[in-house]
Amino acid sequence: MSKLSVTRQVCTRIPTPHGDFQLCFYSNTLDNKEHLALYMGDPSSAPAVLARVHSECFTGDVLGSRRCDCGEQLDRAMAKVAEAGCGVILYLRQEGRGIGLLEKLRAYNLQDKGYDTVDANLMLGHAADSRDYTLAALMLQDLGVESISLMTNNPAKIKALESAGINVARRVSLAVPANTDNADYLMTKALRMEHMLPLNASPNESLSLKTANGR
């Protein structure tokens, strides 16, 4: 089996509400997917550069779905990079925690029947999280980045990147307020997938997530 590698095919300027970014298209020897790097400044020159490794979410990123926090996390990550003046966001094509859009939509239907996001994936024959971050590490290394301040709530992502040779110098929380459509989903990620999300004890001593109005 040939050694896994990535190739930066082209980069171009993308003006956004958060300022101008460079968008780079990567090919690789693992799959035919269009993995992307979005960066501002010179990521290779910054120690522990601000970074986000974002997995594609068509429903959240494009449609603004309230079932998850993906779109808000991507927007917040871009804002943080713009505020810092330097940083990189990788956009990996592993929809639905790696199960693809078709299966994610099927999982949504199971969630609407009362199953949580973990059980829905398991019932469809998938792992709770099928994502892989090997390509992300290679893309960061191609950009000259070896140490990052990672914007994430997911401890598994930190562990995977470190195993792939990227030093995660610190974690930057990317928690966004829950809404009525994603509160149960986020609670499941906190309790069953160990995501580092702000949990509060409600008056009846059950756990709840901070919501948009601060509760």
Side-chain angles (χ1 to χ4, degrees), residues 117-133:
T117 183
V118 170
D119 285 337
N121 276 29
L122 297 178
M123 291 174 69
L124 291 169
H126 304 291
D129 190 340
S130 301
R131 291 175 292 183
D132 184 274
Y133 299 100

Side-chain angles (χ1 to χ4, degrees), residues 40 50 78-87:
M40 181 179 286
L50 195 60
M78 292 178 67
K80 285 182 175 291
V81 168
E83 182 181 358
C86 183

Side-chain angles (χ1 to χ4, degrees), residues 105-144:
L105 299 183
R106 288 172 172 158
Y108 277 173
N109 284 337
L110 289 173
Q111 291 172 43
D112 283 345
K113 294 179 180 178
Y115 300 99
D116 69 29
T117 183
V118 170
D119 285 337
N121 276 29
L122 297 178
M123 291 174 69
L124 291 169
H126 304 291
D129 190 340
S130 301
R131 291 175 292 183
D132 184 274
Y133 299 100
T134 307
L135 292 179
L138 293 175
M139 292 165 69
L140 288 170
Q141 290 164 356
D142 178 74
L143 292 168

Side-chain angles (χ1 to χ4, degrees), residues 170-187:
R170 69 185 181 106
R171 182 185 77 91
V172 178
S173 174
L174 208 56
V176 298
N179 63 57
T180 54
D181 293 300
N182 68 15
D184 289 343
Y185 165 80
L186 295 178
M187 182 65 80

Side-chain angles (χ1 to χ4, degrees), residues 39-50 85-87 140 143-147:
Y39 71 87
M40 181 179 286
D42 179 3
S44 67
S45 67
V49 68
L50 195 60
C86 183
L140 288 170
L143 292 168
V145 173
E146 297 182 352
S147 181

